């Protein structure tokens, strides 16, 4: 028998909604910072293990990870065994890919390299059913994951995030953040470093990089949307939380595997030398 959460059930009944609520939006409404994990490895078991570690949300990376669209369905199925919110970063601002990821059950979409308000509006439109957007109706798996009322309420629950990481995106930051229906802007720190004439790296301590990230956050909040910081470790992520970011990407499956292996090798060497 499927387990149910009586609190969630009660809230849904009061709203007349059977769709699974998006935990990301719930946490944002409560003023909480969301923790995001990252999946660079294209395997359902890796996704399942990461989903069981306590992240609020977990992202399948189609841009720079090893996953392809054929991997998304099984990975989202693995994540959905838990309360972790399934998110997909698409490789490009391409409506068909965005719609497919949503039909497979993604509850959040991250769109990279958004440069203009028009591009942000296109990403939003791909995530919203008419009359708000242009998303085609056919939630082949999403209706089973999300619930019978999925089509009626998906526009309110699905989170769409636009990545700010280029010179053009920075120049159009205010207009992008003002895009109707956009839930958040997402900072890509490595490409943003390129845009600022800096060497790309995670957790960039350069004063110009930090100031630019704060400007992006402040502009997003001015327009009533959220701002996400992509981090590479807990120390920098904690600082981002204190600076007022609404979601932090903490670490990836691949980073954890590398760090764990190195730690064990270093410990072995220190014990035997």
């Amino acid at each position: 028998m499927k387990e149910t959460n009586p609190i969630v059930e009660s809230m849904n009944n009061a709203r007349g909604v059977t769709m699974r609520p998006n935990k990301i939006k719930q946490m944002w409404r409560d003023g909480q910072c969301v923790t995001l994990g990252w999946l660079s490895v294209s395997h359902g078991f890796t996704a399942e293990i990461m989903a069981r570690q306590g992240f609020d949300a977990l992202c399948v990376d189609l841009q720079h990870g090893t996953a392809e669209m054929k991997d998304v369905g099984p990975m989202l199925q693995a994540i959905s065994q838990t309360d972790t919110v399934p998110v997909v970063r698409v490789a490009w601002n391409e409506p068909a890919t965005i719609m497919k990821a949503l039909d497979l059950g993604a509850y959040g979409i991250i769109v990279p390299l958004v440069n203009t308000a028009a591009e942000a509006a296109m990403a939003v439109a791909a995530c919203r059913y008419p009359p708000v957007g242009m998303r085609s109706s056919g939630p082949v798996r999403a209706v089973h994951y999300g619930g019978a009322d999925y089509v009626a309420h998906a526009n309110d629950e699905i989170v769409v995030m636009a990545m700010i990481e280029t010179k053009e995106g920075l120049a159009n930051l205010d207009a992008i953040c003002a895009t109707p229906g956009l839930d958040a802007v997402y900072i890509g720190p490595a490409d943003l470093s390129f845009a600022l004439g800096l060497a790309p790296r995670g957790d960039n301590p350069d004063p110009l990089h930090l100031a630019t990230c704060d400007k992006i956050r402040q502009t997003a909040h001015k327009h009533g949307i959220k701002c996400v910081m992509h981090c590479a470790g807990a120390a920098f992520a904690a600082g981002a939380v204190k600076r007022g970011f609404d979601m932090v990407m903490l670490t990836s499956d691949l980073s954890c595997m590398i760090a764990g292996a190195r730690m064990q090798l270093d410990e072995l060497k220190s014990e035997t030398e």
Side-chain angles (χ1 to χ4, degrees):
M1 180 179 291
K2 182 179 178 181
E3 294 183 2
T4 59
N5 184 321
I7 297 176
V8 171
E9 242 186 14
S10 175
M11 289 173 60
N12 285 343
N13 290 337
R15 295 163 60 200
V17 175
T18 58
M19 181 178 173
R20 179 194 300 260
N22 192 326
K23 181 182 177 182
I24 295 173
K25 287 205 166 184
Q26 289 181 320
M27 291 182 68
W28 281 347
R29 283 193 293 267
D30 293 339
Q32 298 176 332
C33 183
V34 176
T35 57
L36 178 68
W38 205 256
L39 296 174
S40 297
V41 178
S42 57
H43 201 283
F45 185 51
T46 306
E48 179 184 1
I49 293 300
M50 286 288 284
R52 295 189 183 281
Q53 301 314 305
F55 294 103
D56 298 313
L58 197 56
C59 180
V60 177
D61 185 11
L62 288 176
Q63 186 186 19
H64 294 304
T66 60
E68 299 179 10
M69 184 54 73
K70 66 180 176 60
D71 304 307
V72 173
M75 292 175 76
L76 296 185
Q77 286 177 312
I79 296 168
S80 67
Q81 296 182 60
T82 71
D83 291 332
T84 307
V85 181
V87 176
V88 172
R89 177 168 74 170
V90 294
W92 193 248
N93 190 1
E94 202 277 313
T97 303
I98 293 172
M99 293 182 202
K100 185 70 171 178
L102 290 172
D103 286 347
L104 290 173
Y107 256 42
I109 295 290
I110 301 171
V111 181
L113 300 165
V114 173
N115 295 315
T116 66
E119 291 179 4
M122 184 171 73
V124 171
C127 292
R128 309 291 187 226
Y129 288 122
V132 178
M134 57 174 282
R135 182 182 173 189
S136 176
S137 179
V140 60
R141 177 177 178 269
V143 71
H144 297 286
Y145 171 73
D149 269 9
Y150 179 87
V151 173
H153 299 283
N155 284 356
D156 296 325
E157 296 295 341
I158 299 300
V159 170
V160 55
M161 297 172 265
M163 293 192 71
I164 303 296
E165 49 190 346
T166 65
K167 287 183 179 180
E168 190 176 0
L170 288 173
N172 294 312
L173 177 62
D174 210 64
I176 291 170
C177 290
T179 302
L182 187 67
D183 294 295
V185 287
Y186 191 115
I187 296 173
D191 282 338
L192 182 63
S193 295
F194 277 137
L196 298 174
L198 303 171
R201 58 163 293 178
D203 295 354
N204 198 329
D206 186 279
L208 175 60
H209 196 282
L210 291 172
T212 303
C213 292
D214 285 339
K215 178 184 177 182
I216 295 171
R217 186 196 71 245
Q218 291 161 2
T219 304
H221 289 175
K222 180 181 73 173
H223 288 281
I225 66 173
K226 305 301 183 182
C227 191
V228 186
M229 188 71 212
H230 192 95
C231 305
F236 193 86
V241 174
K242 292 174 183 176
R243 285 157 60 201
F245 286 90
D246 306 288
M247 175 190 283
V248 289
M249 199 300 291
L250 179 60
T251 190
S252 72
D253 49 4
L254 184 58
S255 295
C256 289
M257 182 168 61
I258 293 170
R262 285 179 175 170
M263 180 181 69
Q264 294 299 327
L265 284 167
D266 289 345
E267 183 175 344
L268 174 63
K269 289 177 182 178
S270 68
E271 292 290 337
T272 56
E273 287 178 352

